[in-house]
Amino acid sequence: MSWLRKLSRRIAASLSDNNFLTIISKIETIVSKLLSVLMIIVILVAVYDLFVILLQDIFSAPVGFFTRTLFEVFGLFLNILIALELLENITAYLRKHVIQVELVIVTSLIAVARKFIILDLQKTGGIELIGLAIAILGLSISYWIIRNAQPRQPH
């Protein structure tokens, strides 16, 4: 019976606020590292995919011309850029254990800009354009507020 009391004391001690927060912090770090590795894999696959698509377009008939629209190719480039920004968000979290709002807003702006760049105006209605415009305006204002609210630190 004494071993049961010892076990219950040990469990109670491990669930104290400080120990519990330490466990959560370790889990957050492990998940962040796992996300970083997975994001690197996604980026490498996307770069490979872009490389293959570009080679196919350049060396297929008619030679030297893109069979896809340039907007589709730009969309692939921006997908990789967005993935790199997401990786930067994760690594910044690993460094400081704080989510950097400015970085999240910049990533969101890039994602909305990508959508706007690859947008097919023939298939897009006015409401969708207004929605994208409002998103860009809102993110831009948010970025301006965050940028001007914090004192800049030299890198």
Side-chain angles (χ1 to χ4, degrees):
M1 205 60 167
S2 68
W3 65 271
L4 189 56
R5 267 190 240 128
K6 286 180 184 179
L7 179 63
S8 65
R9 280 190 215 129
R10 220 176 234 175
I11 290 172
S14 68
L15 293 178
S16 72
D17 289 346
N18 287 337
N19 289 338
F20 187 72
L21 291 174
T22 301
I23 291 169
I24 288 178
S25 178
K26 287 179 182 180
I27 291 172
E28 285 177 347
T29 302
I30 291 169
V31 169
S32 297
K33 288 178 181 180
L34 180 63
L35 286 174
S36 295
V37 170
L38 293 174
M39 188 56 70
I40 290 169
I41 292 169
V42 167
I43 291 169
L44 292 175
V45 169
V47 169
Y48 174 78
D49 191 38
L50 176 63
F51 183 72
V52 168
I53 288 171
L54 285 176
L55 285 180
Q56 287 174 348
D57 276 359
I58 290 173
F59 294 114
S60 63
V63 176
F65 292 95
F66 288 107
T67 56
R68 292 170 176 78
T69 65
L70 279 179
F71 293 117
E72 291 175 15
V73 174
F74 291 159
L76 295 173
F77 274 98
L78 287 172
N79 282 344
I80 295 169
L81 182 61
I82 291 167
L84 286 171
E85 288 294 327
L86 288 172
L87 180 62
E88 179 63 26
N89 286 335
I90 296 167
T91 54
Y93 177 79
L94 280 170
R95 278 189 217 110
K96 299 179 182 177
H97 289 286
V98 173
I99 295 175
Q100 296 182 343
V101 177
E102 182 178 341
L103 200 52
V104 172
I105 292 173
V106 168
T107 306
S108 301
L109 271 169
I110 293 170
V112 174
R114 177 204 172 275
K115 178 69 177 169
F116 199 73
I117 289 170
I118 66 168
L119 193 64
D120 184 0
L121 293 176
Q122 304 298 330
K123 299 177 184 175
T124 306
I127 297 294
E128 292 166 339
L129 286 175
I130 291 170
L132 280 174
I134 290 171
I136 290 172
L137 180 65
L139 287 168
S140 299
I141 291 170
S142 299
Y143 180 75
W144 183 81
I145 290 170
I146 296 293
R147 186 92 170 161
N148 289 324
Q150 299 172 352
R152 300 306 302 162
Q153 298 173 354
H155 294 279

